[in-house]
Amino acid sequence: MSTYLTELHRRRTFAIIAHPDAGKTTLTEKLLLFGGAIQTAGAVKSNKIKKSTVSDFMEIERQRGISVSTSVMGFEYRDLQINILDTPGHEDFAEDTYRTLTAVDSAIVVIDVAKAVETQTEKLTKVCRMRDTPIIFFINKLDREGLDAFDLLDDIEQKLNVRVTPLSWPIGMGGRFKGVYNLYEKKLVLFNPHGKQEEEDLIVFEDLASPDLEKHIGESAARTLREEVETVEAVYPVFDKKEYLDGNVCPVFFGSAVNNFGVKELLDCFVEIAPTPRQREAEERIVKPEEQAMTGFVFKIFANMDPRHRDRIAFLRICSGKFERNKNYRHIRLGRDLKFPSPTMFMASKKTLLEEAYPGDVVGLYDSGNFKIGDTLTEGEMLHFKGIPAFSPEQFRYVENADPLKQKQFAKGLDQLMDEGVAQMFIRNVDGRRIIGTVGQLQFEVIQHRLESEYNAKCRYEPVNLHKACWITAEDPKAMQDFLERRRRDIAKDSEGNLVFLAETSWILQTAQENFPKIRFSFISEG
Ligand code: G4P
C-alpha cells in the first residue's frame, strides 16, 4: 500500500459528546491515559462553565487560549492516529459542538446511568443522525445506583430513535457493581474500584454456563447475569460492523470512567470498529478521502483573547489529499491562493509545527481574518463542502452601536465575531437594523465583552419580540415574491444574504406555513 493510503487508514477522528456532567471530561482524560498520551490524571482541563457568567466564560477562554491544544487531542494507539475533537461543555455553546460534529467520522456519546437520555444528549445525537455518523454509547457511573440496563437501552432507542446492541453487560450496579461481561470478546471483567484495569482482572469466559462464574461473582449475580445475557441475545441484533458504520446500529458499553473501568475495552473495541476518514459531500460532488488532491474545510475559529495579538486559529479538517506546509492552496470563497508557513498539529498536551497532514487530521492555521466557518481550501478545484449547519437561534436582541465615534470598529468587530460563529446576525429588510440571534443567553454577554476588549467598541442591546428565525426558499419565484411583499416587515437576510423569516410568535409561524404552502421554512441552514 502506498504511504498515502497507509496514513489515511491509520486515522480515527471522533468527538465525545454528552449532556453536561455525564462524564465527558473524565472519559476523555482516561482515554488519553490509556492511550499513553498523558501520564497523570488532571491534565485535561474541564471546559465546563460551572456558573453561567461571562467572567467565568472569559476565564476559561483565556486558559484555553494559552493551550488551544485542548481543542484537538491527538495520540497514537496501536499504530493508529487517534484524534479526539473537543466540544464545549456548556449548552449555550451547543452550536459550536454541532459544527465540530461535521468534522468527525464518528462519535462516542456518554450517558449517566442515573439520568439516561438528557436534553443535550438528544440534540447532539440528532445532529449525528442527520449525517449517519456512527455512534457508540458509553453508559457511565455504574459505581452508582442508576436505571436498570434494559430500561436504559429502551430509553435510548425511543428518545434517540436509534437501534442499539450492547457489547458489554453490567453485573449489578452501585454498591453491588461487580464488573461487566464483555459480550464482544466473551470476557468477564471484574471491577476494581479506583484501580487501573490490569490484565489479571480480565477473565476469559466463553461459556457463561460454567460453574466457575459463581466463584468469581457469587451465586445470585451469576444467575442474574446468565438470565440477562440470554435476554440480550434474544432481543438485540448480533453486532454487525457494517450496520454500525452505516449509522444503523449503535454499540453500547457500560463502565465507570472515574474508576478507569470499561474504558480500555471501549478504546480497544473503538480502534477495531471505528471508521477511517469518511467521504464528504461538497455542493459540486462527493469527495473521497483516497483522492490525492488536498481538500479541507474550516469548522472552527479560535480567537486569541489577547488584544495585542489579534490573530486567530482556524481549524481545518482535511478531507482528501496530503496537506503540506508552505504549499499554495486555493481559498475558494476569496478566490485567492494562500500558503501556511506554520500550521500546527495538536498532540495531547503539546502543539507542534507540522510538515504534512492527512485526511481525518485537523490542522490549526494562523489567520489574520481570512477565514470564516465553512470555508473550503483546495488545490484549485471549485468545491464548497456542505453540512456546516446553522441552527435557527432561540434568543434575539437588536444590537446597536453605543459609541458613535467607533462605528467602524463596531461593524468590523461584529462581522468578525459572526465569522467565528459566536452567534448569528440578521439584517431586517425594512429598517436595516441588526438582530443578533443565539442559542443561549451567554453569547450576548460574550459579544459585548469581546467588542469592548478586542475591538474597542461598545454595543447596546434592545429587546426584540421574536419567537424564531427560519430560512425560507421556494422553487416558484412568483410565490416567493408574493410572500416577500405580504410579509415585508418580517423579512431579513443572514450574513450570507440568505432570506430569513422572522416570526414573532409560534402562531404567526404556523399560519405563515399554512397560508404559503409553496414556501419552504427550514430551521437548519446547511450553508
Ligand atoms: P462532563 O465533562 O460531561 O461535564 O463531566 P465530568 O467528566 O466533568 O464529570 C462530572 C462529574 O461526574 C465529576 O464530578 C466526575 O468526577 C464525575 N464522574 C465521572 N465519571 C464518573 C463515574 O464513573 N462514577 C462517578 N461516581 N462519578 C463520575 P464532580 O464532583 O462534578 O467533579 P470532580 O470534583 O469530581 O472533578
Side-chain angles (χ1 to χ4, degrees):
M1 219 180 341
S2 72
T3 327
Y4 176 72
L5 288 182
T6 313
E7 287 297 334
L8 166 65
H9 292 142
R10 258 168 34 83
R11 263 66 186 173
R12 301 288 184 280
T13 302
F14 72 106
I16 304 180
I17 52 181
H19 189 89
D21 265 350
K24 178 173 73 79
T25 310
T26 314
L27 179 66
T28 307
E29 179 165 288
K30 300 298 158 131
L31 288 174
L32 294 179
L33 277 171
F34 276 114
I38 53 172
Q39 267 63 50
T40 48
V44 179
K45 283 268 170 293
S46 164
N47 61 10
K48 208 165 27 173
I49 303 176
K50 300 243 178 198
K51 293 173 292 205
S52 289
T53 64
V54 71
S55 59
D56 194 10
F57 168 79
M58 297 315 295
E59 178 55 22
I60 284 170
E61 286 293 277
R62 198 185 60 75
Q63 285 172 5
R64 297 182 78 193
I66 293 166
S67 87
V68 263
S69 46
T70 54
S71 289
V72 186
M73 288 160 281
F75 62 95
E76 298 218 1
Y77 185 69
R78 296 220 214 135
D79 282 342
L80 298 181
Q81 169 68 35
I82 315 265
N83 298 316
I84 307 183
L85 305 200
D86 192 22
T87 55
H90 195 286
E91 52 195 295
D92 278 9
F93 294 87
E95 201 152 355
D96 198 357
T97 305
Y98 301 150
R99 287 190 291 256
T100 298
L101 290 177
T102 62
V104 301
D105 299 301
S106 72
I108 294 181
V109 179
V110 185
I111 290 181
D112 183 331
V113 68
K115 305 263 179 70
V117 173
E118 297 176 85
T119 50
Q120 280 307 102
T121 337
E122 223 165 316
K123 285 193 188 166
L124 298 172
T125 313
K126 203 161 150 193
V127 178
C128 293
R129 304 274 301 144
M130 272 164 49
R131 38 182 87 73
D132 298 325
T133 306
I135 296 172
I136 296 178
F137 288 100
F138 181 75
I139 314 292
N140 192 26
K141 308 197 186 180
L142 263 290
D143 58 319
R144 288 208 187 145
E145 290 301 328
L147 270 77
D148 167 75
F150 288 108
D151 290 345
L152 217 136
L153 297 186
D154 282 352
D155 193 56
I156 294 178
E157 291 202 319
Q158 277 164 20
K159 292 216 182 97
L160 304 180
N161 192 22
V162 295
R163 277 167 59 219
V164 298
T165 184
L167 291 188
S168 76
W169 195 256
I171 306 168
M173 66 173 67
R176 296 163 291 109
F177 184 54
K178 295 212 157 52
V180 294
Y181 184 64
N182 183 330
L183 297 153
Y184 186 62
E185 292 180 14
K186 307 253 183 266
K187 276 182 193 156
L188 187 67
V189 193
L190 296 180
F191 179 54
N192 166 16
H194 300 292
K196 184 163 171 172
Q197 195 183 313
E198 302 288 351
E199 290 301 328
E200 56 260 38
D201 298 331
L202 298 175
I203 300 159
V204 180
F205 228 93
E206 295 277 349
D207 181 15
L208 277 187
S210 153
D212 282 351
L213 187 62
E214 272 80 354
K215 278 193 220 145
H216 294 295
I217 59 174
E219 232 169 73
S220 123
R223 193 174 340 109
T224 313
L225 179 65
R226 286 191 190 106
E227 280 166 18
E228 291 186 343
V229 167
E230 203 173 302
T231 313
V232 166
E233 283 168 354
V235 171
Y236 296 102
V238 176
F239 176 69
D240 176 339
K241 188 167 160 184
K242 183 168 182 309
E243 288 280 286
Y244 156 69
L245 291 177
D246 290 344
N248 295 331
V249 168
C250 310
V252 183
F253 286 86
F254 292 83
S256 168
V258 83
N259 289 298
N260 286 324
F261 190 79
V263 177
K264 187 166 185 298
E265 311 196 72
L266 173 71
L267 182 60
D268 285 344
C269 180
F270 174 84
V271 295
E272 250 180 63
I273 66 172
T276 55
R278 308 207 305 162
Q279 62 185 32
R280 287 268 176 317
E281 217 179 315
E283 269 166 38
E284 294 77 1
R285 64 185 185 85
I286 291 198
V287 176
K288 295 209 173 344
E290 293 80 13
E291 295 175 20
Q292 307 252 332
M294 200 298 291
T295 65
F297 65 90
V298 171
F299 65 94
K300 179 179 180 130
I301 291 176
F302 204 98
N304 189 335
M305 295 286 154
D306 182 347
R308 286 164 303 171
H309 304 279
R310 187 67 72 63
D311 56 343
R312 314 187 287 181
I313 291 185
F315 289 85
L316 181 80
R317 148 89 199 205
I318 312 292
C319 300
S320 68
K322 180 160 91 172
F323 176 96
E324 288 172 76
R325 185 165 86 90
N326 269 330
K327 186 170 168 181
N328 269 318
Y329 293 110
R330 176 66 52 87
H331 185 308
I332 299 297
R333 183 175 53 82
L334 299 182
R336 257 171 53 201
D337 285 344
L338 298 175
K339 65 178 173 186
F340 305 93
S342 46
T344 48
M345 183 92 122
F346 306 89
M347 292 295 282
S349 47
K350 296 195 294 291
K351 191 166 76 179
T352 51
L353 192 70
L354 73 87
E355 292 298 328
E356 54 188 47
Y358 293 87
D361 285 340
V362 171
V363 178
L365 304 173
Y366 285 96
D367 171 41
S368 50
N370 285 324
F371 285 111
K372 262 185 181 191
I373 284 180
D375 278 345
T376 302
L377 284 186
T378 71
E379 291 189 13
E381 185 182 353
M382 275 300 279
L383 282 179
H384 299 84
F385 281 102
K386 290 213 290 198
I388 293 267
F391 285 78
S392 113
E394 283 154 25
Q395 306 205 22
F396 303 89
R397 288 189 198 169
Y398 281 122
V399 61
E400 300 288 350
N401 177 23
D403 181 349
L405 297 175
K406 300 280 165 56
Q407 174 62 31
K408 251 169 79 185
Q409 288 89 329
F410 168 77
K412 183 175 171 212
L414 266 187
D415 281 346
Q416 290 210 350
L417 293 177
M418 297 309 128
D419 289 353
E420 270 179 43
V422 176
Q424 296 180 53
M425 189 161 68
F426 306 106
I427 305 206
R428 204 190 263 276
N429 280 9
V430 280
D431 52 14
R433 290 188 78 179
R434 295 180 175 93
I435 295 172
I436 300 277
T438 66
V439 179
Q441 186 65 24
L442 205 49
Q443 274 99 329
F444 290 113
E445 288 174 56
V446 169
I447 291 169
Q448 193 159 32
H449 185 99
R450 289 191 53 193
L451 278 176
E452 264 181 53
S453 65
E454 293 167 46
Y455 297 91
N456 196 20
K458 280 199 169 67
C459 78
R460 185 179 71 235
Y461 293 113
E462 284 176 26
V464 53
N465 187 19
L466 278 185
H467 161 70
K468 271 263 174 218
C470 50
W471 288 270
I472 44 171
T473 46
E475 302 229 322
D476 175 358
K478 263 178 51 207
M480 179 57 96
Q481 202 50 42
D482 179 42
F483 182 75
L484 295 180
E485 276 165 24
R486 308 245 312 254
R487 307 310 301 242
R488 260 186 72 223
R489 291 186 43 75
D490 308 320
I491 306 297
K493 289 207 174 81
D494 71 7
S495 55
E496 306 296 317
N498 299 311
L499 286 167
V500 173
F501 176 60
L502 305 172
E504 275 182 25
T505 64
S506 59
W507 184 81
I508 290 179
L509 178 59
Q510 199 188 333
T511 44
Q513 284 171 312
E514 283 162 15
N515 294 342
F516 298 90
K518 288 188 172 165
I519 305 289
R520 218 179 128 236
F521 297 81
S522 38
F523 300 91
I524 299 170
S525 152
E526 297 231 351

